[in-house]
Amino acid sequence: MKRAFASNLVLLLGINFLIKPLYIFGIDREVQNAVGPEQYGLFFALLNLTYLFQIVNDFGLQSFNNRELSHKPEKFPVQFSSLLAVKFGLSLAFLLILTGAAALTGYLSRQPEWLLGIAANQVLLSLLLFLRSNLAGLGMYRADSLLSSFDKLVMIFLVGFFLLNNPESISIPLFIVCQTGSYLLAIGAAVAVLRPRLREIVFRVRMPMVRWTLRSSAPFALVMFLMYVYTYIDGVMIERLHSDGAYEAGIYASGYRLLDAIGIIGYLFAGLLLPMLSRQLGSGHSVRPLLDMGAGTLWSVAVGVSIVTFFFSTHLSEWLYLAANNSWGQVLGRLMLSFLPWSLTYIYGTLLTAAGQLAAMNRLFVGCILLNVLANLLVIPKYGAAGAALTTLATQTLAAVGQYILAVRKFAELRASTFPVKGVVLLLLVFFSTWILSTFDALPWMLRMCLALGISGFLSILLKMISIKEWIHLLSTQHKE
């Protein structure tokens, strides 16, 4: 299982490092530079509003389906059509609830076309993720990996065409329409890959299965809803609570873009780990080797990128954005530090989900929401995006520490892991070495930043957080097979 994890992770990272950074920095960033922080800030707030209700659109079906098929792939012909019917019903409910919420908050009257376009895209994205969950659950990891960036590749060509040939035409509505086209093409590709398996299916909605699915998915849905609330409510609260809300939301979006970019790695780790950990638990095998490998690798990446970005945040912001200043760098630095606890959530939260420990996670996430909302109510009116970034760091830290404690209580074997000690040592060494490098003003800032990243990687290998020999062995063995 470690071998499968290693080979597919390398494939996933290779694809996503080629495509998604190009999309995030070459397309999404350029759109913000073209339309300005206020316009993009409003778009960001509307997008985050749709995320708050995205759980109605998904209701945990993706995680539930992935987990169920990983345990029993033979269920696919029986449950696919029923789950698809549930999916369409949930999407309709999502659109109705979102429209009502937007009317109550005043967003529907401000930019109704933007909101409805974003909502439609969320429906398409959710359908794409549902189709991909079938691929992952059936063990078709490579196909799932290849599809993970297909929509972004299409966006690069579509929006890139306008950026290169007619940059004055760039607008938020055009951006939304291009997203719609990319999701439709990606869904078509996913259906084409699944087509051989779809022939086994009799498309008939089985109401007992629908009711069973909704009951079974409810715990997953609650987990996802609570996580979405404390993760995405910041953008909406900034736009609503601050006197210059759209501009502050634009600043927050500029920093969140880099957090989202590095978060791709954690998301891919979790997507691969969930079905594999489910199979390990189902077969009674130990989860520690696979977990230690994933945690060590992801934590090494998180420490290097987060700490280095924190010390060079102002330089990076001014390099990336036309309107950036010191306050933009401050927001970026604080947000990137939150990837440290977020990376642990991707590992230990995935383990708890695979083990079905959802009730305990839900209680923890309720506490995270209370912390996030109350803190934002206090800091956003005065400090804007900078205050919200600190709240994000505090909330993600509470979530990560809580999930780690829950995982250790459930799996006693994790107490013997050396990962926590080595992880703290790596964090301290990288922090102080990067701090020292950041003071050498005689060297160009980008050179100092690259040196800091190199030192971080070296320390990760030295502390055996990342085992080069093990990765080479696993990948070479997979290639021979």
Side-chain angles (χ1 to χ4, degrees):
M1 192 59 72
K2 285 173 67 178
R3 189 181 306 129
F5 173 71
S7 62
N8 285 287
L9 179 61
V10 169
L11 176 62
L12 265 174
L13 293 181
I15 293 170
N16 284 276
F17 276 141
L18 285 172
I19 296 173
K20 287 193 176 177
L22 180 58
Y23 167 76
I24 290 172
F25 298 111
I27 302 298
D28 193 52
R29 176 180 67 93
E30 287 300 327
V31 168
Q32 178 168 356
N33 281 332
V35 303
E38 292 86 358
Q39 288 274 295
Y40 195 91
L42 179 57
F43 168 76
F44 181 74
L46 292 173
L47 181 63
N48 279 262
L49 179 67
T50 65
Y51 280 138
L52 294 180
F53 301 98
Q54 181 68 0
I55 194 55
V56 180
N57 197 12
D58 178 76
F59 206 72
L61 287 186
Q62 181 187 346
S63 297
F64 169 79
N65 191 42
N66 195 331
R67 186 168 177 262
E68 285 294 307
L69 291 180
S70 297
H71 282 301
K72 297 178 180 179
E74 65 275 9
K75 284 187 173 183
F76 175 75
V78 179
Q79 72 179 31
F80 180 84
S81 58
S82 295
L83 290 183
L84 191 61
V86 173
K87 190 83 199 63
F88 285 126
L90 291 173
S91 295
L92 178 60
F94 163 75
L95 293 173
L96 292 173
I97 293 172
L98 176 63
T99 302
L104 289 173
T105 55
Y107 279 121
L108 190 61
S109 59
R110 292 181 65 182
Q111 289 290 355
E113 297 87 0
W114 291 18
L115 180 66
L116 295 177
I118 294 169
N121 286 342
Q122 290 296 86
V123 170
L124 294 175
L125 174 59
S126 181
L127 177 59
L128 174 61
L129 293 175
F130 168 70
L131 294 172
R132 284 183 52 203
S133 74
N134 287 278
L135 294 173
L138 292 170
M140 302 167 70
Y141 303 122
R142 290 185 181 276
D144 180 46
S145 300
L146 291 170
L147 280 169
S148 64
S149 290
F150 187 86
D151 59 303
K152 297 298 184 290
L153 181 62
V154 175
M155 282 290 288
I156 290 170
F157 284 106
L158 290 178
V159 182
F161 174 82
F162 290 101
L163 285 169
L164 291 174
N165 294 284
N166 190 14
E168 293 80 13
S169 67
I170 295 297
S171 64
I172 295 299
L174 176 65
F175 188 57
I176 293 171
V177 170
C178 289
Q179 284 183 323
T180 304
S182 69
Y183 288 139
L184 287 172
L185 287 173
I187 288 168
V191 170
V193 175
L194 276 171
R195 187 176 178 182
R197 300 300 299 267
L198 294 177
R199 292 170 183 167
E200 308 169 11
I201 297 171
V202 177
F203 284 92
R204 181 166 59 88
V205 178
R206 300 166 177 85
M207 291 310 298
M209 177 166 286
V210 169
R211 289 190 290 269
W212 174 78
T213 298
L214 290 174
R215 285 196 302 269
S216 302
S217 298
F220 294 94
L222 185 56
V223 167
M224 296 306 299
F225 171 72
L226 297 175
M227 288 184 69
Y228 272 47
V229 170
Y230 76 72
T231 301
Y232 294 111
I233 200 171
D234 307 66
V236 178
M237 294 186 73
I238 293 169
E239 202 278 332
R240 294 281 84 184
L241 293 177
H242 197 271
S243 58
D244 195 8
Y247 179 76
E248 288 293 319
I251 296 176
Y252 192 85
S254 72
Y256 202 89
R257 180 172 291 110
L258 271 75
L259 178 61
D260 188 45
I262 192 63
I264 292 168
I265 299 175
Y267 177 78
L268 297 176
F269 265 74
L272 276 177
L273 278 174
L274 180 59
M276 294 181 181
L277 287 171
S278 295
R279 285 195 174 123
Q280 293 289 87
L281 293 170
S283 61
H285 292 114
S286 171
V287 297
R288 182 183 158 192
L290 181 60
L291 203 72
D292 279 352
M293 183 181 184
T297 304
L298 184 55
W299 180 252
S300 298
V301 173
V303 167
V305 175
S306 298
I307 298 300
V308 172
T309 304
F310 174 75
F311 280 105
F312 295 95
S313 57
T314 299
H315 291 295
L316 276 170
S317 290
E318 293 175 350
W319 181 61
L320 289 170
Y321 301 106
L322 300 177
N325 52 39
N326 287 340
S327 64
W328 290 50
Q330 185 182 53
V331 172
L332 171 62
R334 292 175 179 180
L335 282 174
M336 287 304 295
L337 284 181
S338 68
F339 185 62
L340 289 168
W342 204 352
S343 67
L344 297 179
T345 292
Y346 280 122
I347 299 297
Y348 294 104
T350 301
L351 174 62
L352 292 169
T353 301
Q357 299 296 299
L358 305 180
M361 293 173 69
N362 286 334
R363 289 192 292 270
L364 170 64
F365 293 158
V366 168
C368 292
I369 291 173
L370 290 174
L371 170 63
N372 189 279
V373 172
L374 292 175
N376 275 330
L377 286 171
L378 291 173
V379 302
I380 285 177
K382 183 175 182 180
Y383 300 105
L390 271 181
T391 299
T392 296
L393 176 59
T395 305
Q396 294 294 343
T397 300
L398 174 61
V401 172
Q403 287 173 92
Y404 174 75
I405 292 172
L406 291 174
V408 170
R409 286 179 178 175
K410 174 65 178 177
F411 299 94
E413 61 181 305
L414 298 183
R415 297 170 187 171
S417 174
T418 59
F419 167 72
V421 174
K422 291 195 295 185
V424 171
V425 172
L426 176 66
L427 177 63
L428 293 175
L429 290 176
V430 171
F431 182 90
F432 285 111
S433 62
T434 305
W435 170 61
I436 292 170
L437 271 173
S438 68
T439 62
F440 290 167
D441 294 333
L443 295 175
W445 71 268
M446 194 166 287
L447 175 60
R448 285 179 281 153
M449 186 178 71
C450 291
L451 287 173
L453 287 171
I455 291 171
S456 175
F458 172 76
L459 290 171
S460 299
I461 297 170
L462 186 67
L463 292 170
K464 296 183 178 179
M465 296 290 288
I466 301 175
S467 175
I468 298 297
K469 287 183 178 180
E470 184 175 24
W471 276 94
I472 292 174
H473 171 70
L474 291 171
L475 293 174
S476 62
T477 306
Q478 177 73 15
H479 178 70
K480 289 176 184 178
E481 293 180 351

